Amino acid sequence: MASPAVPVRSRVPGLPWWSLVVVAAALFVVYAVLQENGVALGQVAQVVHEFFHDGRHALGVPCH
Amino acid sequence: MATHSYPGLLARGAGAGAIAGVAAGMVSLFVVETQIRAALAVEEARNAGAVGHEEMFSRGVQVVGGVAAVVVVGIALGAVFATAFAAVHRHLPGGSDFGRSVALAAVGFAAVGLLPAIKYPANPPGVGQAETVNDRTVLYFSLILGGLIIAYGVGRLHGLLAARTSWPAPWRATAVAAAAAAAVIAVLLVWPAGPDAVPPDVPATLLWRFRLASLAEVLTLWAVLGVAFGLLTEAPKSGRGAEAGNPDPVRGDYQGRGLR
């Protein structure tokens, strides 16, 4: 970026390939908690759904 | 060179996400649950006399589940946040890793939290129709995708303007903000309205309070995530800020003020 007058050195590294795996796994966890209705987890989904039910509504995710 | 490894950054993201999840969980527990309770009372009155279905979990367990949900989501979100931060931090405003972290959280809240809250606001139990849940889910997630694409496009536009024009910074910022506003308005107009009508027995005040409470929980999640990740990433470990490979006047100043 050309705009800042004083460039501040960042200590952040480049990304390894497995960062994609991390993101995919994290998004799956979010999906399992907030959206899973039986497609990926089958029978367990009902339990997961009921347990996290308040959280789904509270975070504004569509729910029945 | 960088002193954070990606695993180190990831750990900070997960940690910040856990902190943010607990903070948002407190909002869930003390603010959102009050409105959920009121909504369940409406639903119960509606179903009075009908054969009620057996709940799998008691209310107490579901309240705990509501807090657990946002803590788990917070940790996962923190991991995604840390990865996104590593990928785009060079393009973020803020002047320091703390500022960049807060900026990224602000963008994330706008695209993933605020935009869907405006177009498809949260509903308490007893409002959504079961038959439309798939349609609503597609609308909801496609809108978030649209928001993320706008955020990415705005960043690209700013980079292009900086590289190809000699506009002063305020002009550039104004042009980028105007483009972002136009894109958001276009998306809000193009995406179809949510399919569900609010049932007449749900009071308007209950709906309004629930939506504000829900937005407060989402805002808490993003705000605490941005601040906590920023603090964990920015604050030097004892002695390391003075390393020869890390000659940073800003960080030196922070050290002088004892921010750890």
Side-chain angles (χ1 to χ4, degrees), chain B residues 91-146:
Chain B
H91 309 286
L92 292 171
S96 66
D97 282 340
F98 177 80
R100 292 186 191 105
S101 175
V102 172
L104 184 61
V107 171
F109 170 70
V112 180
L114 187 58
L115 183 64
I118 290 170
K119 184 72 189 182
Y120 306 118
N123 281 325
V127 171
Q129 316 293 321
E131 309 83 63
T132 61
V133 71
N134 287 338
D135 294 349
R136 286 184 284 127
T137 302
V138 170
L139 291 174
Y140 180 84
F141 282 105
S142 64
L143 185 69
I144 288 179
L145 190 63

Side-chain angles (χ1 to χ4, degrees), chain A residues 1 3 8-13 15-16 18-19 22-23 26 29-30 33-35 46-47 50-55 57-64, chain B residues 1-4 6 33 56-57 59 62 65-66 69 72 76 85-86 89 95 97 100 122-123 125 136-137 140-141 172 210 214 217 233-234 246 248:
Chain A
M1 216 160 76
S3 50
V8 176
R9 185 191 289 262
S10 175
R11 305 190 298 170
V12 174
L15 285 174
W18 53 270
S19 62
V22 170
V23 169
V29 168
V30 173
V33 172
L34 297 182
Q35 267 305 311
Q46 185 70 15
V47 180
E50 289 295 327
F51 180 68
F52 290 125
H53 190 257
D54 281 26
H57 280 283
L59 292 173
V61 176
C63 200
H64 65 261
Chain B
M1 260 319 284
T3 52
H4 286 315
Y6 173 65
E33 282 297 341
M56 188 182 291
F57 293 108
R59 273 314 298 152
Q62 283 195 311
V72 174
F85 186 82
H89 70 279
D97 282 340
R100 292 186 191 105
N123 281 325
R136 286 184 284 127
T137 302
Y140 180 84
F141 282 105
R172 224 159 44 213
F210 178 83
S214 166
E217 180 173 337
T233 311
E234 182 81 34
N246 200 11
D248 186 346

